[in-house]
Amino acid sequence: MPTTGVGRALKTKKLTPKFIRPYQIIRRVGPVAYQIALPPNLANLYDVFHVSQLRKYVADPSHIIAPNDIQLKENLTFEVPPISIADRTTKHLRGREIPLVKVIWNKMTGDATWELEENMRELYPDLLDTS
């Protein structure tokens, strides 16, 4: 997809023959126009381009993303195993004490939730015995 420097492109919405990188074509708008999926930093550019402003994509092995082997259930969901237990607390509710554990699901994204210790002990006994 062509553009001048990002700052100038955002101000003038005019493009020059410099190419940034490949973008996905969302749909064909007309016989010679295509709608392109632009990133948020180019959101105020019009996303439909004439075919003369586009280059043919040249395959690059580094652009291939290997899919993970995910086992889907019948309802098209999948189970993510917990990584570790980060914290423990006890919630007091109407005179009852409810033990909770903070479960880390993905270290890279920081996904964590508070779960009932009883449920986690039942589903993942090895996780609670080691921490």
Side-chain angles (χ1 to χ4, degrees), residues 37-67:
L38 294 175
N41 64 339
L42 297 176
N44 59 345
L45 280 179
Y46 189 60
D47 62 352
V48 176
F49 293 90
H50 188 272
V51 71
S52 67
Q53 294 179 313
L54 304 175
R55 275 194 187 167
K56 182 180 177 183
Y57 174 71
V58 178
D60 183 355
S62 68
H63 293 165
I64 298 172
I65 299 172

Side-chain angles (χ1 to χ4, degrees), residues 10-114:
L10 295 176
K11 291 176 188 169
T12 65
K13 295 187 181 182
K14 291 188 177 181
L15 305 174
T16 64
K18 290 185 180 178
F19 287 83
I20 298 178
R21 64 179 194 190
Y23 289 103
Q24 181 181 6
I25 294 176
I26 297 174
R27 67 186 174 99
R28 188 175 184 170
V29 177
V32 290
Y34 293 90
Q35 184 178 10
I36 308 293
L38 294 175
N41 64 339
L42 297 176
N44 59 345
L45 280 179
Y46 189 60
D47 62 352
V48 176
F49 293 90
H50 188 272
V51 71
S52 67
Q53 294 179 313
L54 304 175
R55 275 194 187 167
K56 182 180 177 183
Y57 174 71
V58 178
D60 183 355
S62 68
H63 293 165
I64 298 172
I65 299 172
N68 295 337
D69 291 329
I70 297 175
Q71 301 297 323
L72 293 178
K73 296 179 183 177
E74 283 186 25
N75 61 357
L76 298 180
T77 61
F78 63 94
E79 185 176 338
V80 177
I83 305 288
S84 64
I85 302 295
D87 198 7
R88 293 173 186 264
T89 189
T90 302
K91 188 164 189 138
H92 299 281
L93 206 63
R94 295 183 184 175
R96 291 177 41 205
E97 291 185 355
I98 303 170
L100 300 172
V101 291
K102 186 175 185 179
V103 180
I104 305 293
W105 299 98
N106 186 334
K107 283 190 179 182
M108 295 186 77
T109 61
D111 290 342
T113 57
W114 286 96

